[in-house]
Amino acid sequence: MKAIRLKKFARTLLEEHRYLEVISYLRNELQTMPEGAARFPLLLVLADAQIVIGDLNGTLATLNEAEKLAVRQSDKDALAERKMRFSDLQALLPALDLPEELSDTTWTLTGTTETEEPPEPGALVTNSFFETDLRQVLTDLSMETGIPILCDNTVQGLVTYEAVDQPLKQVLTAILLPSGYTFSFRDGSYYVGSPKPQDPAFGLLSTTEVLTLTNIDAVEAISLLSDYFRPYVKASKTTNVVCITAPLATVDRIRSDLALLDQPPVQILIEVVVSEISTSALRKMGLDWWVAGTGDNPAWQIKSDHTDIQDATIVGDYLDLDVKVGKHTIDLAASLEALVQSGDARIRASPRIATLNGRTAEISLTKEKYFIIATSVSQYYQYNTLQAISYGIRLEITPYASSSGEITVFVKPEVGDVVGSGANNLPEISKRTAKTSVRVHDGETFTIGGLGIQQEKKIKKKIPLLGDIPLLGRIFRYEETEMEDTQIVIFITPHILKE
């Protein structure tokens, strides 16, 4: 069963013209597979891939091993068909007398061969062409340099070019790449053809390289590449690698583009102070209060000049409240510190969170309240479900830093609370949301206010001793429930973290 599965997967790669990957994959699998007839179908697929890329010695070794395992007549027929194709390949390509150790070439997991190709010849070309058929130009260059130049049936067009003592590789680059063709040097010959993956000669003209990305998602990186490069790249979500199978020049270009995309992103530290001020305190402040930033850029100010809070002239800052907001000292005309000390305001939270540039950071200050909800009722039984409802303060912040030091912040606060139960004991939830974007300098603070929240407060009063007397104590006790409205005010300060 394993051999069948391996063969099916290898055939899929072969149909996608991913020949080097097929060879690397099958060689790794065959090294761990025990001797036996199960190896035969995998050897046939391996031979198919080696024939396509023109690996004479590798094909010969594979066919020799497969011949030892061919028992059934169908196996012998399949092997004979590969031998015939191998003979045709030998007639087309010059046979190489490679050392024995090179015939057992090992392949890395990246899909590239460790075999050292012979260096490309440095033959010089001196020739001139005017409106000459491209295939004729390649024939003339081959005859002049003595190096075989083979092309597939897609190569066509006219060439006008003059070369004086130029290397053959440079001439081929000049006349082929502008026409949309590519070339490669293998086994002492140049191969010329179309760079399209669906063309039969693609295996001869391409190479494979695997890159591991560290700062950007591989799938996202591929989506940002030019559409022209999409057929040559594939990505793995699990390992965050990009596999490139393309002509060498295209591989180099894709590698450089991915290097530009895989840059370490800017990190941004976000300081948040969530304060809660009672509605009654806001009324004392005249419904408005002002906050002015002092620092390098005191450019923002929201103010009101009327308040009747005692000690409102006390200059308070968040350092006195054990809360630091950026490099700005926050002066409150209607002193927030005085409100905190009087119990009319309190600091709900002061989290600090870092995120990458363009990534969303979430802050949640919530509670869960459970409700019993009747889900179904029968003649004899009633089935109830315990449902948890989450409510409180949620904040989503997405910062974008620019090279000038400015930060654009997208903010989405949400304040919700359970105000009661409705029909069928279903909870009634009140939510207030806002969504905005602000541009500030590094270290500047901005505020979001006006998000109300309602809380239930139970007040018990009694006369000492008398209020504790059973039954009669009710006369001397007093209980009431109040709904208190408060306003949530959020201070946000983004900082660009330096490397």
Side-chain angles (χ1 to χ4, degrees):
M1 291 298 294
K2 179 180 179 182
I4 296 176
R5 185 173 68 253
L6 296 177
K7 177 186 175 182
K8 183 177 180 181
F9 179 70
R11 279 292 179 192
T12 301
L13 296 177
L14 198 63
E15 291 172 359
E16 296 177 357
H17 308 290
R18 297 160 64 179
Y19 307 114
L20 294 179
E21 294 178 59
V22 173
I23 295 173
S24 175
Y25 174 73
L26 289 179
R27 286 196 170 182
N28 288 333
E29 293 295 335
L30 288 169
Q31 286 178 357
T32 60
M33 182 176 292
E35 296 292 335
R39 298 169 59 92
F40 182 79
L42 299 183
L43 291 171
L44 292 183
V45 179
L46 177 59
D48 289 339
Q50 291 170 329
I51 290 173
V52 172
I53 69 169
D55 184 2
L56 294 175
N57 293 327
T59 305
L60 182 60
T62 302
L63 293 178
N64 287 337
E65 182 180 354
E67 188 171 16
K68 299 176 183 178
L69 302 175
V71 178
R72 297 175 300 179
Q73 185 60 41
S74 59
D75 295 343
K76 295 179 180 180
D77 293 341
L79 183 60
E81 192 269 335
R82 268 77 176 179
K83 287 184 176 181
M84 184 178 299
R85 288 166 53 194
F86 177 68
S87 299
D88 295 339
L89 182 64
Q90 281 183 312
L92 177 65
L93 302 178
L96 297 179
D97 295 328
L98 294 178
E100 184 177 354
E101 61 270 19
L102 291 184
S103 64
D104 295 329
T105 302
T106 57
W107 297 72
T108 66
L109 292 179
T110 62
T112 57
T113 177
E114 294 178 357
T115 302
E116 293 186 2
E117 288 284 347
E120 295 187 35
L124 299 180
V125 174
T126 299
N127 211 327
S128 179
F129 306 99
F130 179 76
E131 297 292 328
T132 308
D133 182 76
L134 179 55
R135 302 177 75 91
Q136 183 61 47
V137 171
L138 296 176
T139 301
D140 292 348
L141 293 176
S142 177
M143 295 178 63
E144 180 177 352
T145 60
I147 301 171
I149 302 178
L150 308 175
C151 56
D152 64 16
N153 56 9
T154 65
V155 177
Q156 57 184 348
L158 300 177
V159 173
T160 299
Y161 189 78
E162 183 175 0
V164 178
D165 290 335
Q166 290 185 356
L168 176 59
K169 182 178 180 180
Q170 181 178 340
V171 175
L172 291 176
T173 301
I175 66 175
L176 293 175
L177 266 61
S179 301
Y181 299 106
T182 187
F183 65 93
S184 66
F185 183 77
R186 291 175 181 267
D187 300 337
S189 302
Y190 278 104
Y191 297 90
V192 180
S194 169
K196 297 180 180 179
Q198 59 268 27
D199 288 342
F202 182 74
L204 287 170
L205 302 172
S206 62
T207 183
T208 298
E209 184 169 332
V210 176
L211 302 177
T212 300
L213 306 183
T214 57
N215 299 300
I216 188 174
D217 180 75
V219 177
E220 181 182 358
I222 286 181
S223 67
L224 296 175
L225 293 175
S226 170
D227 291 341
Y228 176 81
F229 300 129
R230 298 284 180 84
Y232 305 110
V233 291
K234 294 184 182 296
S236 169
K237 285 186 176 181
T238 55
T239 57
N240 205 47
V241 300
V242 174
C243 180
I244 310 170
T245 302
L248 184 59
T250 304
V251 170
D252 294 339
R253 173 59 188 275
I254 295 175
R255 187 196 307 115
S256 63
D257 288 354
L258 290 175
L260 292 175
L261 295 173
D262 194 32
Q263 297 293 323
V266 174
Q267 293 192 89
I268 301 174
L269 175 67
I270 301 172
E271 296 178 343
V272 180
V273 174
V274 181
S275 62
E276 182 179 343
I277 305 175
S278 66
T279 304
S280 59
L282 289 176
R283 292 194 183 98
K284 289 181 182 180
M285 298 166 66
L287 295 178
D288 292 319
W289 55 293
W290 68 270
V291 181
T294 60
D296 296 337
N297 293 286
W300 47 270
Q301 178 172 298
I302 307 171
K303 66 181 181 178
S304 173
D305 58 358
H306 46 281
T307 178
D308 59 0
I309 296 181
Q310 295 181 357
D311 300 326
T313 56
I314 297 176
V315 177
D317 61 56
Y318 278 106
L319 293 177
D320 298 330
L321 302 175
D322 295 326
V323 177
K324 183 179 179 182
V325 183
K327 62 187 177 183
H328 297 278
T329 300
I330 307 301
D331 300 324
L332 305 182
S335 174
L336 182 58
E337 182 180 5
L339 294 177
V340 172
Q341 292 174 354
S342 66
D344 292 322
R346 64 192 181 102
I347 303 300
R348 291 283 296 268
S350 56
R352 294 157 57 96
I353 187 171
T355 185
L356 298 178
N357 186 38
R359 302 295 178 89
T360 300
E362 297 185 8
I363 298 173
S364 180
L365 308 171
T366 59
K367 296 180 180 179
E368 285 191 349
K369 193 171 183 178
Y370 291 87
F371 292 84
I372 298 177
I373 301 175
T375 56
S376 62
V377 179
S378 66
Q379 183 178 359
Y380 303 102
Y381 301 101
Q382 177 176 328
Y383 300 93
N384 297 326
T385 300
L386 193 63
Q387 182 70 42
I389 302 297
S390 180
Y391 64 96
I393 302 171
R394 291 186 177 89
L395 189 64
E396 294 183 5
I397 306 174
T398 307
Y400 294 88
S402 67
S403 57
S404 63
E406 291 185 326
I407 305 174
T408 301
V409 186
F410 292 86
V411 188
K412 183 181 179 182
E414 178 184 300
V415 176
D417 55 315
V418 179
V419 296
S421 301
N424 299 324
N425 200 33
L426 295 175
E428 294 180 353
I429 303 174
S430 175
K431 287 187 178 181
R432 278 79 66 202
T433 62
K435 187 176 182 180
T436 187
S437 57
V438 182
R439 186 175 69 249
V440 295
H441 288 283
D442 182 14
E444 282 189 337
T445 303
F446 66 94
T447 63
I448 299 175
L451 299 172
I453 190 170
Q454 194 176 63
Q455 293 180 329
E456 183 180 288
K457 182 187 295 184
K458 292 184 178 181
I459 301 175
K460 295 182 179 181
K461 298 180 180 179
K462 66 179 180 178
I463 299 175
L465 299 180
L466 296 178
D468 296 327
I469 300 175
L471 299 177
L472 293 177
R474 293 183 179 180
I475 302 174
F476 306 101
R477 291 196 304 265
Y478 172 73
E479 296 182 2
E480 68 174 348
T481 301
E482 292 183 356
M483 299 300 293
E484 181 182 14
D485 292 328
T486 58
Q487 297 293 324
I488 300 298
V489 181
I490 304 172
F491 300 85
I492 303 174
T493 307
H495 299 272
I496 298 177
L497 296 179
K498 308 300 181 183
E499 293 293 336

